[in-house]
């Protein structure tokens, strides 16, 4: 019972973190391993468990997504298709390749994304330094989607970094778009994983309920907190994730 409580608590906190910055799986993954799930099964179960919370969070952030859809700089439909396809490919990779393939790259990816997000946030909106174009955003999203379907740790920070380098500054718009795209890539990953024998259903169902509650709390906090606070939280979470994954790297 204590292990189940730990999983539920980790999933609630993960829902909050995913709504604000991303990286909630770094809580649910070790919690499920501690509860007795093998690492790859824990990864698959964590992905499935966090998905309902992402759906609920995306619904709560629908006004921000509607604003993103109207922004002429953003093609949310193309980004959505890229996320769906990439997430499915990543989910299939999880079934057929060892987790160690990406494990060594994860801390470097998150460190890189955190530095880009922190540095890009300090640039003036008209600055051309460290700037990527629309094609660059699409390419970055494709790589993040495959990685997200395969492993998922830190995808929110990776996406926020790419959107920052694209020139976006409205953190609520960026966060809403990030939540939507993460939901799509995880939907594809879930489709690839849900009917396998990797899922620990009791842990997954408990975590899913807790993640939904956490997601609602997180998205309402993101809406009300000042932009600097949310950006600061993203950078802090990026630093924590970087240290965590460097410690866990093979």
């Amino acid at each position: 019972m204590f292990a189940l409580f730990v999983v539920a608590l980790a999933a609630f906190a993960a829902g909050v973190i995913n709504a604000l910055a991303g990286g909630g799986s770094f809580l649910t993954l070790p919690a499920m391993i501690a509860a007795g799930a093998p690492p790859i099964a824990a990864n698959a179960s964590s992905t499935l468990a966090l998905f309902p919370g992402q759906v609920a969070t995306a619904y709560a952030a629908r006004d921000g997504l509607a604003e993103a859809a109207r922004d002429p700089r953003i093609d949310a439909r193309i980004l959505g298709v890229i996320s769906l396809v990439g997430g499915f490919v990543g989910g299939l990779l999880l079934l057929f390749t060892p987790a160690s393939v990406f494990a060594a790259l994860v801390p470097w990816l998150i460190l890189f994304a955190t530095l880009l997000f922190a540095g890009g946030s300090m640039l003036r909106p008209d600055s051309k330094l460290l700037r990527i174009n629309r094609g660059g955003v699409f390419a970055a999203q494709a790589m993040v989607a495959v990685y997200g379907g395969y492993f998922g740790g830190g995808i929110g920070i990776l996406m926020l970094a790419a959107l920052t380098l694209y020139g976006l500054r409205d953190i609520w718009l960026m966060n809403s778009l990030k939540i939507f795209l993460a939901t799509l890539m995880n939907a594809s990953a879930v489709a690839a994983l849900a009917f396998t024998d990797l899922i620990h259903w009791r842990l997954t169902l408990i975590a899913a309920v807790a993640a939904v509650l956490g997601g609602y709390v997180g998205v309402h906090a993101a809406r009300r907190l000042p932009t600097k606070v949310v950006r600061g939280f993203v950078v802090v979470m990026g630093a924590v994730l970087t240290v965590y994954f460097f410690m866990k790297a093979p």
Side-chain angles (χ1 to χ4, degrees), residues 32-196:
M32 288 190 172
I33 292 174
I40 292 181
N43 192 12
S45 299
S46 173
T47 298
L48 181 56
L50 293 179
F51 176 65
Q54 290 174 317
V55 173
T57 305
Y59 178 77
R62 61 192 181 278
D63 57 338
L65 179 60
E67 182 182 345
R70 292 191 297 268
D71 193 311
R73 299 169 296 173
I74 303 168
D75 196 324
R77 290 173 297 181
I78 292 179
L79 287 172
V81 171
I82 290 172
S83 299
L84 281 170
V85 174
F88 187 75
V89 171
L92 292 179
L93 284 175
L94 181 62
L95 297 178
F96 297 110
T97 61
S100 59
V101 172
F102 284 158
L105 293 176
V106 169
W108 295 102
L109 282 170
I110 298 175
L111 174 61
F112 182 63
T114 302
L115 293 175
L116 286 180
F117 178 79
S121 298
M122 293 185 290
L123 296 176
R124 292 173 50 190
D126 59 348
S127 173
K128 291 182 169 55
L129 183 65
L130 294 176
R131 183 59 58 86
I132 59 177
N133 58 21
R134 179 175 290 199
V137 169
F138 293 157
Q141 186 62 25
M143 291 185 285
V144 172
V146 173
Y147 163 71
Y150 185 92
F151 188 75
I155 56 172
I157 294 171
L158 291 169
M159 284 188 282
L160 288 175
L163 293 172
T164 298
L165 295 185
Y166 183 47
L168 301 186
R169 291 294 181 271
D170 185 335
I171 192 64
W172 174 240
L173 181 150
M174 294 163 64
N175 228 358
S176 300
L177 185 60
K178 175 214 72 181
I179 291 168
F180 172 66
L181 297 176
T183 301
L184 290 179
M185 70 177 71
N186 273 355
S188 292
V190 164
L193 297 171
F195 301 103
T196 69

